[in-house]
Amino acid sequence: MGRNIKDIIKYCITFMLGAVITAAGIFLFLTVSKKDDLKAELSEADGLVSFSNRIFVGDTELKDYVICAPISLKDASARLYSYIKVSTGESLSVVEKKPSGKAIYLIADKKRSGDLPAITFENGNINIYGGTDSELLKQVDVFANLYLGFSFAGEDREHLLFTDREIFVPDTVYYNGDGPYIEKREPIIVLWNPSFARGAYFNQNTVKKSDILSFSDDRLYDYVKMMKAMGFTGIQATDICAAWAEYGNYEFVHQRLRFMADAAHSLGMDFTLWVWGSEFNGYGWIDTSVEYYDPADGELFGYKPAVDTYEKYYDIYSELADCSDRLIVHFYEPGHVGGMDQVAKLSLLIRDKFIRINPEINTGINVYSRYFDLSQLSDELGEENKNFTFYTLAMAGAEEEFVNLRTVTMLNDLDYGIWSWGVIEREIDQTAEMTVNAREIKSVYKNTSSLDHIKKPEYWSEMEAYHNGNIFSLYVASKLLQDPELDPDVLLYEAAEAVVGRDHAKDLYDVLSLIQDARVGEDHGTFYETDENYIFLNGAMDPSKIIEECDAALIKLQNMIDADIHSNTLPLSVSVSDILKMMVPNVHQISEYAEFRLNYGKLTEMAETGKSKEELSLFIESFFKPVCEYNVVTGLWGLEEQRIQVRLMEEFCVSHGLEAVNMPLVDHYRKQRILGEMISLQQNSAEKVLFPDSATYQMDVAYGTDNTKRLVNELVSEGLLTREGEDKVYISDWERYIYNF
């Protein structure tokens, strides 16, 4: 038999020992080789052109950190080292063992949940996670973009946004360790032109710091970065003809939207495209070829001009399919479709166009409107309903409607999300102004989450229409979407500190609290104008206290402006001083309205004590002055304080038999708005357009039927409008607005 058992065992041991030694040698060789490679890469980075940014994480300068990672992650270590070297000129140590001081830890963790953030801050240390080596490299790029001053790190267009600046990074960034309440969170970047609301009224005095489409590439990148820093996982942008109208073409707007999508992706975020599904003209956008259905019978798909219209505009939208992760189509208010059968067919048409270009895109339908029957729509879509996500509003009002919607999504196993509107601010085409809604947001989220037992939303988007003016409410919303149990007042203070730094945070928080107390209140009832508890009408305001707080707020704002603050940890697309300067006129407006309420209270007391009509009229003449719009973003209906002010005075005069208060400036700007909207509608017709004389402007909601009719009659008297019949008017020189001869 040859060898005995001892020889065989000896041979096996010798063989295995040799294999182990060989493997150890190979491992040692590879390890040494990787260390040599890392040294070479670090040496190469040391030769790059570097700049002089100083980066602070909390109170610690980044140069006092080390990079800690196993040698197996040498590529990520070298890339991070390189970014820091280029931005700051500093060379950080790269170590494998946990240091005694602060460090940036690079961690490859395949088990880490995808809904947890890839970059975290704990006790002053920074953790950057990736499931694979390539994912970790991507997160290093994101870190460079978010905190080291880069734009598009790791791409051909990589560059520093600034080269000699102090950059402040928070040493604590909140995240819910158990997983966020809402996994996908986005702001709705509304592209109404703030100076040309609804394409109807051009406001020459609007602050331009809110017109984001006019931002440079670098400032627009900062704007998207701000959303990431707040805690949003993506951005949503509204691609609508109203936005195109400002530039006379859709191509420019699409170029800006594509840039925003690219910026979002470079920051590890998603990009959602939101479109009007059946509204392709008006709002200053002129296309007289648009037809929505056969005028004879309302049929859409058998009527070629209508089919051509939808094909044309859905093709335009789909030019952004390749850079979009999600599509949401909005059909009503505004829109021109019939029943759910048409909505279903159009939804399938636009979805087909998008998935041909981007098969992975998530397609959805916004069913927030009272016109929607979600159950019927689901039936019309048939088996295709599983290929759509359905979006409703956040629940700020009646519960029954939302119970029904969620029940349909639950029973049919449909994807469900929230498209929240009018919660953190009001829309620019109505009554926009700067508001601070921290407590109101919390109350709406609490109401909405009460139905999660039926069907929990997996996506949530919040309106962002003011652009830079309402970032504080947006900050609070982003955090509450991660954990609705957080304290909104604490979050508001954090937002203040993120913008002006620790030294000035209390002063800014006081100003923000004033705006919240004066314009919003505690919940959606005090914020919503048709509610009986509406803050401007509920009588809870203490005018003297508000005036006193406004005086103090203006001093605090000016002191902060004079301090020329640059310690913000929240990336901003405009300077801190610009943000503060945008707040100043809003505080003046609040003070002016409080002054009015103080005198209005005296007026009502005079009436109750039996003062004569002459005495009442003289007192009104002595104090009444409309609150000024100033250089703020104001909605199409005008400043809300001014609308309420005028309403109260009109009601008082009627109830006490007094002549109406003379308000020539208010009437002047209201007539401009009425005529402007008429012009925007006339521009899309080659024929004379007739308007009802009492319901011609914003369905009479803006100024009321009687006031609207009075103002229209004045426009007739002035020769700007001409009457036809008893109750119709048209623009006297309507031919001037013919675009298609």
Side-chain angles (χ1 to χ4, degrees):
M1 293 291 295
R3 301 177 180 176
N4 58 32
I5 191 68
K6 290 183 179 180
D7 291 334
I8 293 173
I9 293 173
K10 182 178 179 182
Y11 173 80
C12 290
I13 292 173
T14 303
F15 177 81
M16 287 188 290
L17 184 59
V20 169
I21 293 171
T22 301
I26 293 172
F27 176 78
L28 182 61
F29 172 78
L30 291 175
T31 301
V32 172
S33 178
K34 286 183 178 180
K35 288 183 177 180
D36 289 341
D37 289 345
L38 177 59
K39 288 180 181 178
E41 291 183 53
L42 300 184
S43 178
E44 183 179 347
D46 286 334
L48 296 173
V49 175
S50 60
F51 297 93
S52 305
N53 291 313
R54 295 184 66 194
I55 301 173
F56 295 85
V57 182
D59 296 324
T60 305
E61 193 164 357
L62 191 62
K63 67 182 180 65
D64 296 328
Y65 277 69
V66 300
I67 298 169
C68 183
I71 193 62
S72 60
L73 300 179
K74 67 177 184 62
D75 291 342
S77 299
R79 183 175 294 191
L80 178 59
Y81 177 94
S82 174
Y83 286 143
I84 295 172
K85 177 67 176 178
V86 169
S87 181
T88 67
E90 301 290 345
S91 300
L92 267 60
S93 297
V94 180
V95 301
E96 292 186 74
K97 293 183 179 180
K98 183 177 180 180
S100 58
K102 293 182 178 179
I104 306 173
Y105 292 95
L106 302 178
I107 305 166
D109 183 359
K110 295 179 181 179
K111 296 181 180 179
R112 186 172 174 81
S113 172
D115 60 358
L116 293 177
I119 301 170
T120 63
F121 294 73
E122 298 178 40
N123 302 317
N125 294 311
I126 303 169
N127 303 313
I128 304 177
Y129 294 91
T132 64
D133 290 358
S134 61
E135 289 175 6
L136 183 58
L137 285 170
K138 172 61 180 174
Q139 292 306 324
V140 169
D141 294 339
V142 171
F143 181 81
N145 289 327
L146 193 54
Y147 298 120
L148 302 182
F150 280 86
S151 170
F152 296 108
E155 302 181 30
D156 290 341
R157 50 182 159 171
E158 170 187 308
H159 66 282
L160 279 169
L161 295 171
F162 24 79
T163 58
D164 187 16
R165 181 183 293 188
E166 290 185 339
I167 302 172
F168 295 90
V169 177
D171 55 5
T172 301
V173 177
Y174 175 81
Y175 75 96
N176 189 339
D178 297 326
Y181 167 56
I182 300 295
E183 182 179 348
K184 299 290 186 181
R185 311 173 296 277
E186 296 181 354
I188 308 166
I189 300 169
V190 185
L191 295 184
W192 291 117
N193 183 337
S195 298
F196 196 32
R198 210 177 174 88
Y201 172 65
F202 181 70
N203 190 338
Q204 294 174 288
N205 203 36
T206 304
V207 61
K208 301 300 181 184
K209 301 294 183 181
S210 291
D211 187 4
I212 63 170
L213 287 179
S214 67
F215 286 5
S216 68
D217 284 356
D218 285 354
R219 297 294 71 78
L220 194 55
Y221 194 92
D222 276 333
Y223 174 79
V224 177
K225 187 197 298 188
M226 175 179 70
M227 302 304 175
K228 173 75 172 183
M230 285 182 180
F232 290 104
T233 62
I235 59 172
Q236 178 190 137
T238 61
D239 190 19
I240 53 179
C241 62
W244 308 341
E246 180 180 0
Y247 303 98
N249 65 83
Y250 73 85
E251 290 90 350
F252 175 80
V253 176
H254 276 204
Q255 187 272 335
R256 297 282 78 195
L257 291 179
R258 182 173 292 277
F259 181 90
M260 292 167 70
D262 291 347
H265 292 147
S266 77
L267 290 159
M269 305 170 78
D270 292 336
F271 178 77
T272 296
L273 188 70
W274 184 96
V275 303
W276 277 343
S278 189
E279 187 81 353
F280 313 119
N281 58 358
Y283 316 94
W285 178 255
I286 300 156
D287 184 351
T288 56
S289 73
V290 168
E291 297 211 33
Y292 298 105
Y293 40 71
D294 188 341
D297 59 14
E299 175 57 32
L300 188 161
F301 286 92
Y303 184 56
K304 188 174 185 306
V307 173
D308 290 345
T309 292
Y310 286 100
E311 291 279 357
K312 171 183 175 180
Y313 281 92
Y314 287 2
D315 283 341
I316 288 174
Y317 292 148
S318 68
E319 291 180 16
L320 293 172
D322 63 306
C323 64
S324 300
D325 302 287
R326 185 182 298 262
L327 170 69
I328 301 176
V329 191
H330 179 94
F331 285 103
Y332 289 106
E333 294 183 346
H336 300 265
V337 291
M340 295 300 99
D341 58 331
Q342 289 189 2
V343 172
K345 290 176 181 177
L346 290 171
S347 299
L348 292 169
L349 175 63
I350 192 170
R351 180 177 179 274
D352 287 346
K353 289 181 180 293
F354 271 73
I355 63 173
R356 273 190 229 120
I357 299 168
N358 181 359
E360 302 301 318
I361 195 166
N362 180 305
T363 309
I365 304 170
N366 199 11
V367 295
Y368 92 106
S369 169
R370 62 184 181 275
Y371 299 112
F372 265 93
D373 183 330
L374 181 54
S375 181
Q376 183 185 348
L377 176 59
S378 177
D379 291 342
E380 292 286 351
L381 289 168
E383 289 301 313
E384 291 289 337
N385 64 10
K386 299 293 192 296
N387 294 321
F388 288 88
T389 301
F390 297 89
Y391 301 89
T392 68
L393 293 175
M395 192 181 79
E399 181 177 301
E400 183 179 357
E401 173 188 352
F402 294 95
V403 169
N404 293 339
L405 287 167
R406 290 214 201 185
T407 301
V408 172
T409 61
M410 181 268 293
L411 292 175
N412 292 278
D413 192 26
L414 304 176
D415 291 337
Y416 170 65
I418 298 287
W419 188 80
S420 185
W421 202 249
V423 172
I424 74 169
E425 59 180 312
R426 298 189 189 93
E427 191 178 1
I428 285 177
D429 76 332
Q430 294 175 359
T431 56
E433 61 183 0
M434 181 183 180
T435 56
V436 177
N437 299 47
R439 295 171 190 162
E440 184 255 357
I441 294 168
K442 168 100 173 185
S443 73
V444 172
Y445 288 9
K446 183 177 180 180
N447 288 341
T448 305
S449 64
S450 69
L451 301 182
D452 286 353
H453 64 282
I454 303 173
K455 178 80 171 183
K456 183 175 178 291
E458 58 222 22
Y459 171 95
W460 193 306
S461 56
E462 274 293 351
M463 184 168 70
E464 204 291 279
Y466 204 131
H467 313 316
N468 292 318
N470 278 346
I471 61 174
F472 304 99
S473 295
L474 203 62
Y475 181 98
V476 173
S478 74
K479 298 298 186 287
L480 288 174
L481 288 176
Q482 295 177 67
D483 184 353
E485 298 304 317
L486 295 174
D487 186 324
D489 292 314
V490 172
L491 294 175
L492 188 60
Y493 193 97
E494 286 178 11
E497 185 173 336
V499 171
V500 296
R502 191 179 304 152
D503 293 343
H504 301 278
K506 178 61 167 61
D507 284 348
L508 181 55
Y509 174 76
D510 289 343
V511 178
L512 295 172
S513 297
L514 162 66
I515 297 172
Q516 178 169 242
D517 292 342
R519 282 183 165 174
V520 180
E522 298 296 316
D523 55 40
H524 199 66
T526 56
F527 183 56
Y528 198 59
E529 66 174 284
T530 60
D531 194 284
E532 61 182 10
N533 294 315
Y534 188 40
I535 193 165
F536 291 121
L537 294 171
N538 64 12
M541 172 186 285
D542 180 345
S544 298
K545 181 173 181 289
I546 293 290
I547 293 169
E548 182 179 329
E549 290 179 359
C550 284
D551 291 342
L554 291 170
I555 293 172
K556 291 173 181 177
L557 285 171
Q558 191 58 54
N559 288 340
M560 287 186 283
I561 291 168
D562 292 342
D564 193 24
I565 298 166
H566 296 282
S567 56
N568 53 294
T569 57
L570 184 69
L572 299 171
S573 56
V574 296
S575 69
V576 174
S577 292
D578 285 334
I579 296 290
L580 299 171
K581 288 174 182 176
M582 290 170 69
M583 298 174 68
V584 170
N586 286 278
V587 174
H588 277 287
Q589 290 171 334
I590 291 169
S591 180
E592 289 173 18
Y593 182 71
E595 185 74 32
F596 161 77
R597 289 305 300 245
L598 190 65
N599 285 306
Y600 181 77
K602 294 176 182 177
L603 178 66
T604 55
E605 287 178 9
M606 290 174 63
E608 289 168 359
T609 56
K611 298 295 183 183
S612 68
K613 291 183 179 180
E614 183 180 3
E615 289 175 301
L616 294 176
S617 296
L618 285 172
F619 184 63
I620 291 172
E621 187 177 341
S622 73
F623 82 82
F624 181 72
K625 181 181 178 182
V627 178
C628 190
E629 289 192 8
Y630 296 118
N631 61 326
V632 300
V633 172
T634 303
L636 186 60
W637 297 0
L639 180 69
E640 184 64 1
E641 280 96 337
Q642 188 186 97
R643 289 180 66 242
I644 299 302
Q645 182 185 33
V646 169
R647 171 181 163 182
L648 289 172
M649 291 308 303
E650 288 175 342
E651 290 175 352
F652 182 89
C653 289
V654 169
S655 64
H656 291 86
L658 305 178
E659 289 188 16
V661 178
N662 185 29
M663 298 177 285
L665 282 176
V666 173
D667 287 351
H668 170 72
Y669 290 116
R670 286 185 170 185
K671 285 187 287 188
Q672 279 192 345
R673 288 177 162 98
I674 291 171
L675 185 61
E677 185 168 72
M678 287 181 172
I679 289 171
S680 73
L681 295 169
Q682 176 65 67
Q683 286 171 329
N684 273 283
S685 175
E687 305 296 329
K688 179 175 66 182
V689 177
L690 294 177
F691 303 93
D693 63 358
S694 62
T696 187
Y697 184 71
Q698 293 287 289
M699 300 172 289
D700 286 352
V701 179
Y703 308 137
T705 301
D706 292 341
N707 252 331
T708 302
K709 190 163 187 172
R710 175 181 65 82
L711 294 168
V712 167
N713 285 335
E714 289 185 16
L715 287 167
V716 171
S717 299
E718 293 163 5
L720 296 168
L721 298 179
T722 299
R723 186 168 292 282
E724 183 163 309
E726 292 186 3
D727 59 356
K728 296 289 192 297
V729 295
Y730 63 87
I731 300 170
S732 297
D733 60 344
W734 65 270
E735 297 95 337
R736 175 184 178 187
Y737 303 105
I738 296 175
Y739 271 69
N740 187 352
F741 287 87

